[in-house]
Amino acid sequence: MRATIALGIAVLFALLGVSPVYFGGVMADAYYEGLEQWIPDWAFQVRSERYHRGWFSSTAHVELSLAPSLCDSPPCPVLQMQTVLTHGPIPFGATEALGGQNRLLGGVIQSTIDPAPLFRAGRIEPGLPPLKAFTKVYLTGSSSTRLEMPASGQTLQADSEQFSLASEGLLGVIDHRGASGLNTHFEMPRLEATGQQGRQALLKGISVDFSGSREGELLLGDWSGQLDRIRFLAPEQDARYALDALRLGAATRLRDGLISGDLNLTLDRLATPQQTVGASRGNIRFDRLDAATLVRIRNALRPVIRGEAPSPEARLAVAGLLLQYGPALLHPGPEITFNDLRLVTDRGVAAADGKLMVLPGTVDGRLTLAKLLRRLEGEADIVVDEPLARHWMDMSDRPDLASAQMPGLIEDNILQRTPDDQIAVNLEYKQGRLWINGIENEQWAALMVLLDMGSLEIDS
């Protein structure tokens, strides 16, 4: 009996001794994976990172520098993120009941970020509340994270004006299911700034949801986002901007290495000093985009997105990437279809339907503009109320497209007037030839001849 008890005690102590080391490794992996996946590289750069592994808990300290593209002038603000990871012999007593089932808890991760450095241009009192993240990591590989910033009110002294800030907080939920399943929800109910001179900014009802999975470096599934209201008021400039009820939706799929998806948008109202847009909508479908090539392009563009490359170098970098990855991207024959695009403005309505596709196949030799244009095929039907068409023509700042030229363009059949006083255009494009309202465009044909001869070329 004594030997059995002694053996049991020895086994218990062995488990207690080994479990912190093992679960500490599990928690470290979860921490580094989350740091890589959820710190947006377009917004922040990890400037330094320190991780200290303890017996029953570990700590981490990360410095996040605001990306140059979002920074007015160097040095860019640096945010401090402090993290505590608790992982000791938790599995012997910590479980959670979910749907009648128990999940063994491997540990918890608690992180805190102080956002105060973002307001370096002014003085904010009292200080902003920290952004906190609480993550539960389960031994099954799943995890659940809750991000929170409480409601608060501050006074911001910037330059010679004082602003009152009011926020109803921030909430985010990230649930990992197994190795790749993912559900997320983020919301910011209200953020408002009001200045003493009448300037005002209001953001209300922002939320983003995703349900799907992570496939390598891609997130595939269903996205939805909404923005209930935006208001910007600057009385000294007589400028008023307003947006109401913007809704976005997207669904992406991966099959045989190719991405397809659908995008849809609805908008109730957008008002600017120049124009007002009413209830508008649009649906776009894309097919056969090579996933591996898109990932390579995104990774190669990261320095440009972060703002690390000067503008001239950025333009050359983008042009070089198109030449480098264009053949692989075009090979499957990507296709974009837009249905029921409808824009309602105070000057009239515009509607469009159409399709644009690339003929599948290998690009022989170097990709050139002439080769690309001969691989394209497409068609579109566009109808615009005449007052809106005249407004857009005058905004082009091109004498040949000014609204005064409309009668001549109608006579040449480049534009058509419908019985409902609308301006209609039908476009067809195939193998380098363009038809406008059923008539082949001679100017385009001449341009293609110059491109084929090499007299015109765009390499960068």
Side-chain angles (χ1 to χ4, degrees):
M1 175 67 70
R2 291 180 179 178
T4 302
I5 294 175
L7 179 61
I9 293 175
V11 171
L12 178 60
F13 274 103
L15 290 173
L16 289 172
V18 172
S19 63
V21 178
Y22 170 74
F23 294 113
V26 172
M27 298 298 290
D29 291 342
Y31 166 75
Y32 282 115
E33 184 176 323
L35 192 65
E36 179 181 353
Q37 291 181 2
W38 299 112
I39 300 297
D41 55 11
W42 57 267
F44 295 101
Q45 300 174 5
V46 178
R47 198 173 75 165
S48 67
E49 186 270 334
R50 298 191 304 274
Y51 188 93
H52 176 72
R53 180 177 295 184
W55 193 248
F56 297 112
S57 65
S58 302
T59 59
H61 174 79
V62 176
E63 290 188 348
L64 301 173
S65 176
L66 194 66
S69 59
L70 301 178
C71 181
D72 295 333
S73 60
C76 295
V78 176
L79 305 183
Q80 309 290 331
M81 183 172 78
Q82 307 290 347
T83 301
V84 177
L85 303 93
T86 305
H87 48 70
I90 294 177
F92 295 98
T95 60
E96 277 198 350
L98 295 174
Q101 297 180 352
N102 289 334
R103 292 198 297 179
L104 208 55
L105 190 64
V108 296
I109 302 174
Q110 300 178 74
S111 298
T112 302
I113 298 179
D114 180 11
L118 294 176
F119 291 85
R120 63 178 183 176
R123 187 177 70 255
I124 184 168
E125 295 178 351
L128 289 170
L131 174 64
K132 295 184 178 181
F134 183 82
T135 301
K136 300 176 184 178
V137 180
Y138 302 96
L139 299 184
T140 57
S142 300
S143 67
S144 178
T145 299
R146 185 179 180 89
L147 303 169
E148 285 186 324
M149 179 181 282
S152 63
Q154 289 84 23
T155 298
L156 173 65
Q157 184 69 43
D159 298 327
S160 60
E161 187 171 1
Q162 181 174 291
F163 289 87
S164 297
L165 304 179
S167 168
E168 294 185 8
L170 174 71
L171 171 66
V173 178
I174 305 171
D175 288 327
H176 279 94
R177 307 182 311 276
S180 61
L182 181 66
N183 284 333
T184 66
H185 171 75
F186 292 93
E187 65 178 55
M188 186 174 68
R190 185 184 182 92
L191 177 63
E192 185 173 7
T194 304
Q196 292 176 320
Q197 300 178 13
R199 286 193 285 179
Q200 183 182 33
L202 169 67
L203 300 175
K204 182 179 179 181
I206 300 176
S207 67
V208 178
D209 292 89
F210 172 77
S211 177
S213 62
R214 179 178 289 277
E215 303 290 340
E217 298 187 60
L218 297 171
L219 287 177
L220 302 171
D222 298 321
W223 295 83
S224 64
Q226 68 178 46
L227 175 57
D228 289 342
R229 180 170 297 175
I230 290 181
R231 293 287 187 274
F232 290 108
L233 176 62
E236 75 281 5
Q237 301 174 1
D238 194 25
R240 297 172 181 266
Y241 300 86
L243 181 148
D244 292 310
L246 174 65
R247 303 289 185 265
L248 299 169
T252 54
R253 303 169 294 277
L254 181 66
R255 182 176 181 181
D256 299 329
L258 302 179
I259 296 179
S260 299
D262 297 277
L263 305 173
N264 59 78
L265 176 149
T266 63
L267 171 68
D268 277 5
R269 177 175 175 265
L270 172 63
T272 71
Q274 294 77 29
Q275 186 169 297
T276 299
V277 175
S280 302
R281 61 178 182 266
N283 297 286
I284 300 175
R285 168 170 292 182
F286 56 90
D287 292 293
R288 299 190 298 276
L289 295 175
D290 186 75
T293 302
L294 288 177
V295 170
R296 294 189 190 101
I297 293 174
R298 184 197 63 187
N299 293 340
L301 279 175
R302 277 176 173 166
V304 179
I305 296 173
R306 293 171 181 165
E308 297 173 354
S311 296
E313 296 180 16
R315 289 193 294 269
L316 290 175
V318 173
L321 288 174
L322 292 176
L323 291 174
Q324 180 179 355
Y325 295 113
L329 194 63
L330 300 180
H331 183 270
E335 179 179 304
I336 298 176
T337 304
F338 48 95
N339 299 309
D340 195 26
L341 297 185
R342 185 176 179 83
L343 180 68
V344 180
T345 77
D346 51 354
R347 289 180 172 86
V349 178
D353 294 273
K355 175 188 293 186
L356 180 66
M357 65 172 293
V358 178
L359 296 176
T362 303
V363 176
D364 296 329
R366 184 173 63 96
L367 177 64
T368 64
L369 181 59
K371 288 181 180 179
L372 173 62
L373 291 175
R374 292 200 178 278
R375 293 282 294 274
L376 293 177
E377 290 190 1
E379 59 181 343
D381 288 297
I382 304 170
V383 178
V384 185
D385 287 345
E386 186 169 333
L388 180 58
R390 289 183 176 276
H391 174 66
W392 284 351
M393 293 173 73
D394 290 333
M395 288 178 58
S396 69
D397 291 328
R398 288 183 51 179
D400 59 324
L401 291 180
S403 60
Q405 305 298 323
M406 182 177 288
L409 295 173
I410 293 175
E411 184 178 349
D412 294 335
N413 203 42
I414 295 176
L415 301 177
Q416 291 182 338
R417 181 179 279 115
T418 70
D420 298 326
D421 290 329
Q422 293 178 310
I423 302 301
V425 180
N426 172 262
L427 303 174
E428 292 184 61
Y429 184 83
K430 188 174 183 179
Q431 297 179 350
R433 302 171 67 186
L434 174 65
W435 289 267
I436 301 178
N437 296 325
I439 299 176
E440 185 172 1
N441 186 269
E442 297 179 356
Q443 292 179 337
W444 184 265
L447 174 63
M448 289 302 302
V449 170
L450 293 175
L451 289 174
D452 290 334
M453 292 173 59
S455 301
L456 288 176
E457 189 54 83
I458 299 176
D459 291 330
S460 62

